[in-house]
Amino acid sequence: MLRRYYSFIVLFAPFFLLGRNAYAQTDTLKVTFKDVEKSFLTNNLSLLAQKYNVDAAQALVKQAKLWDNPVLSTDQNITDANKKFFDHSNGNGQILVQLSQVFKTAGKRGKQVQVASDDVKIQQAQFNDLLRNLHYNLLLDFSQVANLIDQRKVYQTEIASATNMVNATDKSYQAGNNSLKDLIRLKALLFGLQNDMVEIDRQINDLQSELKTLLVANADQFIAPQITFNNSDTTLNAATLSELAKANRGDYLANQYLLDQNNHNLSLQKAMAVPDITIGSTYDQNSSYARNFVGLEISLPLPIFNRNQGNIKNAKLAAQSQEYTLKNSELQLQNDVYSAIQQYNLSQQLLGTRENDFYNKYDQLFKGMSKAYQQKQINLQEFVDFFDSYRETKLKILQQQLNLQKAIADLNYAVGTTVVNPS
């Protein structure tokens, strides 16, 4: 059984070593978050697409300001009694020409412009909300890639140490100084580490794809995030940040502008119940009581049956519904900000100076334990236990650092602007 397990490890080990060098031939781009943020704002295709929606809404404001076109109509004879076509000479035939213009009443045009202007604000707020969401995803992907690269370094350190142990133990086994059980135990440890590193490489590859899409980067580039952790104390006030969020969060502002638009639409629908006036002039050559008649035309519909009752009620109910939507949005905003502050404070506490000193000493102890095993000062079980403990501790450290980066991202996302700069 041990020989078969040994053969399995020897057979598949080259594939894991191949995974370790997966990025060796890739063009590596070392960047800080400020670097990728600048590229993101300039190149992201989703932002560029949403920007066109804002421009399209602004075009509709111009359209709402335009007057209705005047209407010109004519009515004239095709033939006369002598079968002549369009003969209007010497007072013959008949020509009727009408020119009319609709004049909107009750300030309808101004109200239509206001509704269209509200839509521009809504589209701009939705653009800002898209920016907020994509920026959040960018920071998370950036932090996760950096974290996984650091995890990979932990595994590389352990794999290098385990490989040396395996080689030394193998020679010792060949000389009859070590048991096959110890050798297989070390090879199994090495196999597990290599397997875990392949999984890390897979996760890095997936996140690299997301980052390159957000940044519109070249497919053959490997983005290597550069993060410096600066765990400085920051005092955050929930009430102040909630007010700041109301002024910056696109989702909340979109609901606010939508309520304004619904109220303005209600005003417009009430104005639509007031009839518009059409004023025009008519020239009639022969069919009126006098030749070459010129008359004044004034017309308006009588609001007897249709007074726009349905549209007015619909607009009123839509405005009332949006009021509750806005209140819910405000409540969600306040809870988001409070929760993000609490999470940020907790993450800060876990990365204090004392913890960092302990982690640095733990690295020194790892080197000492490897040397102690080689010198037979500790047995294999003690070495493997410490090996596992070291890896687990280092990964927890990295997870705490990632949690802090995520807490920063969540806080900035909840407020809608940069409150704490990412490291």
Side-chain angles (χ1 to χ4, degrees), residues 241-302:
L241 292 182
S242 293
E243 292 301 316
L244 185 61
K246 289 181 183 180
N248 288 281
R249 276 184 56 163
D251 58 338
Y252 176 80
L253 291 174
N255 283 319
Q256 177 65 65
Y257 297 146
L258 186 56
L259 176 60
D260 294 340
Q261 187 182 54
N262 286 338
N263 287 327
H264 291 146
N265 184 54
L266 175 59
S267 178
L268 173 62
Q269 295 306 320
K270 290 179 179 179
M272 294 294 287
V274 180
D276 295 329
I277 298 177
T278 301
I279 300 178
S281 179
T282 302
Y283 167 75
D284 190 333
Q285 183 180 25
N286 280 322
S287 67
S288 183
Y289 73 95
R291 286 178 58 82
N292 298 321
F293 169 81
V294 178
L296 175 66
E297 175 188 351
I298 300 178
S299 65
L300 73 162
L302 299 177

Side-chain angles (χ1 to χ4, degrees), residues 94-130:
Q94 160 65 2
I95 298 177
L96 176 68
V97 179
Q98 292 179 319
L99 180 65
S100 61
Q101 174 68 53
V102 174
F103 293 89
K104 294 185 179 295
T105 60
K108 293 188 185 73
R109 181 170 289 103
K111 292 178 172 62
Q112 288 173 334
V113 171
Q114 184 62 65
V115 170
S117 298
D118 291 334
D119 193 52
V120 173
K121 294 180 180 179
I122 292 171
Q123 292 296 331
Q124 183 64 54
Q126 290 176 348
F127 172 83
N128 293 337
D129 193 50
L130 175 64

Side-chain angles (χ1 to χ4, degrees), residues 129-180:
D129 193 50
L130 175 64
L131 173 60
R132 180 175 73 109
N133 281 276
L134 292 178
H135 190 271
Y136 175 75
N137 293 336
L138 176 66
L139 179 53
L140 284 187
D141 288 349
F142 187 84
S143 301
Q144 287 175 345
V145 169
N147 185 267
L148 287 169
I149 290 175
D150 287 338
Q151 287 187 39
R152 200 171 189 277
K153 292 176 181 178
V154 174
Y155 278 95
Q156 283 177 321
T157 299
E158 288 208 330
I159 287 173
S161 178
T163 301
N164 292 333
M165 293 297 177
V166 168
N167 294 335
T169 305
D170 189 33
K171 291 180 180 179
S172 179
Y173 168 72
Q174 298 298 333
N177 298 324
N178 266 96
S179 67
L180 179 61

Side-chain angles (χ1 to χ4, degrees), residues 18-30:
L18 179 62
R20 292 172 58 190
N21 298 322
Y23 306 110
Q25 298 179 355
T26 305
D27 180 20
T28 300
L29 182 64
K30 295 182 178 181

Side-chain angles (χ1 to χ4, degrees), residues 74-86:
T74 181
D75 181 12
Q76 53 186 298
N77 62 291
I78 298 178
T79 63
D80 58 13
N82 296 322
K83 304 300 182 180
K84 293 182 178 181
F85 288 92
F86 299 103

Side-chain angles (χ1 to χ4, degrees), residues 171-340:
K171 291 180 180 179
S172 179
Y173 168 72
Q174 298 298 333
N177 298 324
N178 266 96
S179 67
L180 179 61
K181 179 182 177 182
D182 288 348
L183 178 60
I184 295 301
R185 179 70 184 276
L186 285 173
K187 285 185 176 290
L189 175 64
L190 177 60
F191 175 80
L193 293 172
Q194 292 169 338
N195 184 56
D196 289 344
M197 187 142 85
V198 170
E199 175 60 23
I200 289 175
D201 286 341
R202 185 194 63 78
Q203 295 180 44
I204 291 176
N205 184 61
D206 291 341
L207 289 170
Q208 284 286 320
S209 177
E210 294 181 17
L211 268 179
K212 292 170 189 175
T213 300
L214 287 170
L215 300 175
V216 195
N218 295 331
D220 60 347
Q221 283 185 324
F222 180 76
I223 300 174
Q226 306 298 299
I227 294 180
T228 303
F229 287 93
N230 182 17
N231 190 24
S232 58
D233 293 333
T234 304
T235 303
L236 303 173
N237 183 276
T240 301
L241 292 182
S242 293
E243 292 301 316
L244 185 61
K246 289 181 183 180
N248 288 281
R249 276 184 56 163
D251 58 338
Y252 176 80
L253 291 174
N255 283 319
Q256 177 65 65
Y257 297 146
L258 186 56
L259 176 60
D260 294 340
Q261 187 182 54
N262 286 338
N263 287 327
H264 291 146
N265 184 54
L266 175 59
S267 178
L268 173 62
Q269 295 306 320
K270 290 179 179 179
M272 294 294 287
V274 180
D276 295 329
I277 298 177
T278 301
I279 300 178
S281 179
T282 302
Y283 167 75
D284 190 333
Q285 183 180 25
N286 280 322
S287 67
S288 183
Y289 73 95
R291 286 178 58 82
N292 298 321
F293 169 81
V294 178
L296 175 66
E297 175 188 351
I298 300 178
S299 65
L300 73 162
L302 299 177
I304 298 175
F305 304 110
N306 182 357
R307 298 187 299 277
N308 209 36
Q309 304 96 314
N311 288 333
I312 292 173
K313 185 174 183 180
N314 176 271
K316 183 177 181 180
L317 293 174
Q320 291 174 344
S321 174
Q322 186 59 28
E323 286 182 6
Y324 289 103
T325 300
L326 181 61
K327 289 180 180 179
N328 183 72
S329 180
E330 181 177 0
L331 179 62
Q332 183 66 55
L333 177 149
Q334 292 171 345
N335 289 331
D336 289 347
V337 170
Y338 180 80
S339 176

